[in-house]
Amino acid sequence: MDDHFLLNQLTKSFFNLFSNTNGKKPGFENIDDICLKETIIIKKDKDNEEIYNLDSFITPRKRILTDGTLTEFEEYEVAEETKIVNNIAQRSSKYQKRGYLNGNYFEGNGNKFFQYIKTVNGWKINSVIWEDENI
């Protein structure tokens, strides 16, 4: 299969991990199929950085996406540029998100950068960094 197609599918799967629209349960159990165990995830916000490993990233999101804090949540890619060089790749991704946080509807958007590596088991994410845009 075409590597760009496979990276599209992988990225979509990452975004879908956190969706709980229409009674859907988030697919956290699939994180190991998508990311390396050593994946680093960074949230940039003005002068601050929040740096996570997979466990420290997933644990609080699992709680708020299943306890009613964040409902009807979805985040999805609206534009991308991907560069593939042999067995490594990076992607600039523009995304939108929406849902209900503590019962209040919100919408947002931002930018993510993904890095990928092609392993013997296929493409995996090895890092994600994102910054929400101020609306």
Side-chain angles (χ1 to χ4, degrees):
M1 268 193 203
D2 174 73
D3 283 332
H4 192 263
F5 173 81
L6 294 170
L7 292 173
N8 286 344
Q9 295 303 108
L10 183 61
T11 305
K12 184 176 181 178
S13 294
F14 182 83
F15 281 111
N16 285 339
L17 285 176
F18 308 99
S19 177
N20 66 359
T21 57
N22 301 316
K24 178 183 167 199
K25 301 245 186 275
F28 300 117
E29 65 279 358
N30 298 323
I31 193 77
D32 292 331
D33 297 332
I34 296 169
C35 296
L36 293 177
K37 291 258 187 242
E38 299 82 6
T39 296
I40 185 169
I41 302 174
I42 302 172
K43 178 184 179 185
K44 179 65 181 153
D45 183 14
K46 294 184 185 174
D47 297 327
N48 300 309
E49 301 85 34
E50 296 175 25
I51 302 171
Y52 303 96
N53 62 30
L54 278 184
D55 287 337
S56 65
F57 181 74
I58 291 294
T59 299
R61 283 154 185 83
K62 188 182 291 188
R63 186 178 63 252
I64 67 171
L65 286 162
T66 58
D67 72 0
T69 301
L70 184 57
T71 59
E72 294 304 311
F73 180 76
E74 66 176 340
E75 185 175 62
Y76 50 93
E77 187 173 66
V78 294
E80 60 87 7
E81 282 185 43
T82 301
K83 181 168 178 120
I84 303 167
V85 179
N86 297 321
N87 296 300
I88 58 175
Q90 63 183 9
R91 182 182 194 110
S92 170
S93 175
K94 180 112 178 119
Y95 65 88
Q96 293 180 341
K97 61 183 175 179
R98 62 179 165 228
Y100 290 86
L101 181 60
N102 296 315
N104 298 309
Y105 182 75
F106 73 93
E107 292 182 354
N109 56 31
N111 298 286
K112 287 189 195 299
F113 287 93
F114 292 88
Q115 289 186 325
Y116 313 88
I117 184 168
K118 192 177 207 178
T119 72
V120 294
N121 296 315
W123 286 100
K124 301 275 188 173
I125 295 169
N126 65 285
S127 72
V128 181
I129 185 168
W130 89 94
E131 184 173 31
D132 291 331
E133 291 181 0
N134 294 334
I135 299 174

